[in-house]
Amino acid sequence: MENSYLIETRDLVKTYPMGEHTIVALDKVNLKFEKAEFTGLVGPSGSGKTTLLNIIGSLDSPTSGSAVVMGRKVEGLSHKQASALRNHHIGFIFQTFNLLPVYTVFENVEFPLLLLDYSAAERRKMTMVALDWVGLADRTRSKPAQLSGGQSQRVAIARAVVKKPALILADEPTANLDAENSHHILQTMERLNRDLGTTFVFATHDEKVIDYLRRKITLFDGAVAKDERMEPQRPGGEKR
Amino acid sequence: MIKFLFKGLMRDRSRSLFPILTVVIGVMLTVFIYNWINGAQFNFIDSNARFNTGHVKIMSRAYAREADQVPNDLALIGVQSLVDKLQEEYPDMIWTPRIRFGGLLDIPDAEGETREQGPVMGMAVDLLSAGSNEPGIFKLEEALVRGRVPQRAAEILISEDFARRLKVQPGDTATLISVTMQGSMAVANFTVAGTIRFGVEAMDRGAMIADIADIRAALDMEDAAGEILGFFGDFMYRDPQASQITTRFNAAHGDDPDEFVPVMDTLLHQAGMTDLMAMLKMFSGLVLVVFIAVMSLVLWNAGLMGSLRRYGEIGVRLALGETKTHIYRSLIWESLMIGVLGSLIGTAVGLAESYYLQAHGLNIGFMMKNASLFISNVLRAKVSPVSYVIGFIPGLAATFLGSSVSGTGIYRRQTSRLMKELES
């Protein structure tokens, strides 16, 4: 480990060529994330939230500057090393769930473990634990098409946490859910953050998500406009 | 992982049904056509061996040069001692002398005047000796249409179609008008014992089968024969063994410049059989190549369509940390599963069709009206041990090639765009 932070970005810059122009998606972003944070990247569309999430998730590399995730410099990773980092240490939750439609709930959650060469018995045990965390242990044989949006996202969360990653990146995880399901999902993620010590980083503009955050980083035009620690505003005024 | 992939394949019909059907059809056709060609090849060899060439054939050097003309004046003499010697030197082979002859078959009326007459292609073989193999080689009992197989001297069989044309019944008298070995006119009376149909157009047009002793007497060919045919005991032709015997036999007579010295030839070196067999082998190979190429193209296209349909799934797998190479390999594994499954089903269907055609055959007599080839009118498929595995070559090769090419698209996928792609 090069430092004690889970994630650290130094003068992170990401630009994209657009015809004769260059779009600056991230402009000298300096951020540090500690273990077990529950942090949101907020800001308007085009502010660089997803780009930052991409780089932290080793899906993309910076144009300049550095992003160190769990001691590994993202910009220096080969495709295989980046895959290994995601495979072992990072979980993803998407806005549109992205479950594999032909597989059952159990098989969807089991899939990341198949890539990690766990034995069948270990996979079964870990999968059932993950489904139990999200309250879907009784829906193991259901197919994604038989689930509601909230249930699908809970399966996606179980898939992200089943390998007990240090970091979960969630891109607009509640965008396709109604208020009740959003709260349910967020409570589930908050509980996993608390019980497992998993770091959650969200990209969102959803106020419901923001209410749960303990740290809110506001991005504007690719730069950090504000970085604030906050007390979560639980629904009904409950404080953490 | 393989079990996981297999489950996905079986549950997603759009991913498995069309490729499996493609492989099933291709493999089925491959197996069927292979067996069909195999059957045709066997048919060519078997019919030619039985009626014309034997597995090896001995003729005089002069006769061999003009064998198409059936030059009985150049026939072998001292045949019995030669056959005895052959039996001694090659005890596992069956040796049998034959005389082929041409002539006119004259059917007299009650007054002995010509009622009907027609050209005949005759074959004199040993029909009456105890333990003779010729009735079995010609499958006379199976070929018999009316009457019976000759049991006495001067009895003959003629082909059924020829008999109908000449309005001959079993029991009628027929007169052969031909030429003796010395070139003078030969006339001999026979009784038609029965009629036959071999299912070989070249034989059924106007054939006459007579005992060799009768024809020797009629054509003045005492202890002579146009040719001596040799057969392997199991009647299965083996070219390397036949070549070995031929080389050994010819080596013993190679230095003798006599025109009437006996020379031996293998089945494949007679009547253009080598070219025919090479052509059939080339067709077999061509069938495989064509099916591999066509199926590969279809499966490549199916793989591309599948990649589009599974764009989201592959994106998620990349995001979850599966490497592109691992996904590429899994796509190939999936295609090989499809290949194995399709090949199994295709082989089973192809074999079922082949076994049916092996038992019942397909009559192509209408295409053989003027054929001079000794080939059965009923073409049958022939299933061999290779038939059980031949379909797996195009089945697996095509699925492998198809998915190998279409799967390379995975390497063009940019992980930096995954988030956006997976949100859409």
Side-chain angles (χ1 to χ4, degrees):
Chain A
M1 296 281 280
E2 289 184 6
N3 54 46
S4 60
Y5 296 105
L6 190 74
I7 305 163
E8 184 176 1
T9 68
R10 294 177 204 138
D11 294 329
L12 195 65
V13 174
K14 182 70 186 179
T15 59
Y16 296 105
M18 182 72 79
E20 292 178 358
H21 304 284
T22 300
I23 303 288
V24 180
L26 291 175
D27 188 9
K28 292 191 176 171
V29 173
N30 288 288
L31 287 169
K32 289 170 182 169
F33 297 81
E34 291 174 353
K35 284 172 190 163
E37 281 197 16
F38 204 73
T39 301
L41 306 173
V42 300
S45 294
S47 59
K49 303 186 298 289
T50 301
T51 305
L52 182 55
L53 222 54
N54 263 338
I55 292 173
I56 294 172
S58 72
L59 292 169
D60 203 356
S61 55
T63 308
S64 67
S66 176
V68 180
V69 179
M70 277 165 276
R72 294 162 185 85
K73 281 188 177 178
V74 171
E75 61 273 20
L77 296 178
S78 65
H79 167 73
K80 199 173 173 185
Q81 288 167 328
S83 295
L85 176 64
R86 291 197 299 276
N87 195 8
H88 287 91
H89 302 293
I90 303 174
F92 285 88
I93 298 170
F94 305 98
Q95 178 182 326
T96 48
F97 325 135
N98 285 299
L99 300 178
L100 307 179
V102 296
Y103 293 104
T104 63
V105 163
F106 182 91
E107 288 158 352
N108 264 282
V109 177
E110 184 193 24
F111 182 68
L113 302 177
L114 281 168
L115 302 176
L116 290 169
D117 292 332
Y118 283 100
S119 69
E122 283 174 315
R123 290 201 308 269
R124 172 150 197 87
K125 190 177 165 191
M126 292 168 78
T127 303
M128 288 311 296
V129 167
L131 284 169
D132 203 33
W133 282 332
V134 298
L136 286 173
D138 58 339
R139 300 300 301 267
T140 53
R141 289 173 186 274
S142 300
K143 293 277 182 65
Q146 297 168 309
L147 303 176
S148 67
Q151 286 172 325
S152 294
Q153 196 59 301
R154 278 151 64 194
V155 175
I157 293 170
R159 181 176 66 185
V161 299
V162 68
K163 59 190 176 188
K164 295 186 184 164
L167 172 65
I168 288 182
L169 303 174
D171 193 16
E172 305 283 7
T174 55
N176 282 351
L177 301 177
D178 59 26
E180 191 185 338
N181 271 314
S182 295
H183 286 302
H184 201 141
I185 292 297
L186 287 161
Q187 281 161 9
T188 303
M189 290 197 273
E190 194 184 44
R191 186 161 47 80
L192 291 169
N193 167 254
R194 190 176 59 235
D195 294 350
L196 303 177
T198 312
T199 302
F200 278 79
V201 179
F202 299 89
T204 186
H205 353 52
D206 188 347
E207 286 300 324
K208 297 188 291 292
V209 177
I210 294 168
D211 284 347
Y212 281 81
L213 299 178
R214 294 204 300 278
R215 182 183 177 193
K216 183 172 85 173
I217 298 166
T218 307
L219 294 173
F220 192 80
D221 282 348
V224 177
K226 205 187 284 182
D227 184 353
E228 31 188 347
R229 303 278 167 176
M230 46 202 288
E231 279 294 305
Q233 301 297 310
R234 311 295 300 279
E238 184 192 344
K239 296 273 182 184
R240 185 181 163 86
Chain B
M1 191 72 184
I2 288 175
K3 192 176 161 192
F4 188 84
L5 295 173
F6 187 72
K7 275 185 199 168
L9 269 183
M10 290 301 99
R11 289 177 193 165
D12 185 359
R13 287 194 181 174
S14 62
R15 201 156 115 195
S16 52
L17 190 62
F18 177 70
I20 287 177
L21 275 179
T22 304
V23 176
V24 166
I25 292 168
V27 168
M28 179 196 76
L29 288 172
T30 305
V31 171
F32 180 70
I33 292 171
Y34 173 80
N35 289 334
W36 189 253
I37 292 174
N38 202 19
Q41 193 169 335
F42 179 79
N43 181 349
F44 278 131
I45 290 176
D46 191 60
S47 298
N48 268 282
R50 288 175 192 278
F51 296 122
N52 186 21
T53 62
H55 292 151
V56 292
K57 187 197 271 188
I58 300 167
M59 296 166 278
S60 72
R61 186 175 286 150
Y63 185 102
R65 265 202 303 270
E66 296 172 45
D68 291 346
Q69 309 295 319
V70 196
N72 281 332
D73 53 327
L74 305 175
L76 292 164
I77 51 173
V79 167
Q80 191 53 52
S81 65
L82 183 53
V83 169
D84 290 344
K85 200 174 162 196
L86 288 165
Q87 296 284 22
E88 197 180 314
E89 284 183 31
Y90 308 96
D92 296 336
M93 302 280 287
I94 295 162
W95 299 99
T96 179
R98 286 184 186 175
I99 298 170
R100 287 193 289 148
F101 58 93
L104 274 176
L105 200 62
D106 187 277
I107 311 299
D109 60 15
E111 279 76 43
E113 299 296 328
T114 297
R115 173 168 62 81
E116 297 286 344
Q117 202 176 59
V120 69
M121 188 195 88
M123 188 89 79
V125 299
D126 183 4
L127 291 177
L128 301 177
S129 297
S132 169
N133 288 295
E134 290 286 31
I137 292 170
F138 278 83
K139 298 180 181 172
L140 290 180
E141 290 291 350
E142 290 172 36
L144 198 66
V145 179
R146 289 184 287 159
R148 58 172 173 73
V149 173
Q151 291 164 355
R152 286 187 290 273
E155 286 188 341
I156 58 168
L157 293 167
I158 61 172
S159 61
E160 170 68 10
D161 296 349
F162 189 44
R164 288 194 182 281
R165 210 160 55 242
L166 299 181
K167 300 181 186 71
V168 177
Q169 302 294 330
D172 286 356
T173 299
T175 304
L176 172 69
I177 304 167
S178 188
V179 183
T180 67
M181 195 174 173
Q182 286 74 35
S184 50
M185 189 172 174
V187 179
N189 287 329
F190 295 95
T191 303
V192 176
T195 64
I196 43 174
R197 183 178 287 128
F198 291 111
V200 174
E201 198 59 31
M203 291 291 286
D204 290 340
R205 262 199 305 273
M208 163 184 165
I209 309 285
D211 183 58
I212 194 164
D214 293 334
I215 295 302
R216 276 175 173 158
L219 304 186
D220 204 8
M221 292 179 72
E222 193 58 38
D223 200 21
E227 44 203 49
I228 299 169
L229 272 58
F231 293 92
F232 293 114
D234 57 1
F235 283 92
M236 295 302 291
Y237 180 68
R238 290 178 289 280
D239 193 55
Q241 210 174 328
S243 299
Q244 207 176 8
I245 292 167
T246 303
T247 307
R248 188 175 139 201
F249 181 88
N250 289 338
H253 303 89
D255 296 335
D256 193 338
D258 187 353
E259 281 291 279
F260 293 93
V261 75
V263 291
M264 188 187 280
D265 221 343
T266 64
L267 178 147
L268 281 189
H269 282 94
Q270 299 175 58
M273 289 289 281
T274 306
D275 295 339
L276 198 63
M277 290 303 126
M279 191 180 75
L280 286 174
K281 199 169 269 183
M282 189 196 73
F283 275 133
S284 287
L286 201 64
V287 165
L288 279 182
V289 171
V290 165
F291 279 107
I292 287 173
V294 171
M295 280 200 289
S296 295
L297 282 173
V298 174
L299 292 169
W300 172 24
N301 190 42
L304 288 175
M305 286 165 64
S307 300
L308 286 177
R309 208 167 31 238
R310 298 170 70 189
Y311 202 71
E313 177 202 323
I314 290 169
V316 172
R317 288 168 62 177
L318 283 171
L320 291 179
E322 196 171 352
T323 61
K324 289 176 177 176
T325 303
H326 194 268
I327 294 175
Y328 181 69
R329 279 198 201 132
S330 76
L331 292 176
I332 290 177
W333 269 113
E334 281 183 12
S335 69
L336 287 177
M337 287 180 211
I338 284 170
V340 169
L341 202 62
S343 298
L344 282 172
I345 299 170
T347 299
V349 179
L351 283 174
E353 292 169 343
S354 302
Y355 273 119
Y356 179 83
L357 273 158
Q358 184 169 286
H360 297 93
L362 180 71
N363 196 331
I364 56 162
F366 65 96
M367 294 162 64
M368 308 287 288
K369 288 292 179 206
N370 298 310
S372 57
L373 288 169
F374 287 90
I375 175 170
S376 170
N377 289 345
V378 180
L379 267 187
R380 293 176 193 279
K382 181 163 175 60
V383 178
S384 67
V386 178
S387 311
Y388 286 82
V389 292
I390 192 83
F392 284 80
I393 297 172
L396 295 179
T399 47
F400 179 78
L401 282 175
S403 63
S404 299
V405 177
S406 64
T408 52
I410 194 86
Y411 290 102
R412 290 192 289 275
R413 196 86 184 258
Q414 292 178 341
T415 52
S416 58
R417 299 178 59 82
L418 283 179
M419 285 282 193
K420 291 281 179 210
E421 288 169 357
L422 293 172
E423 301 299 275
S424 57

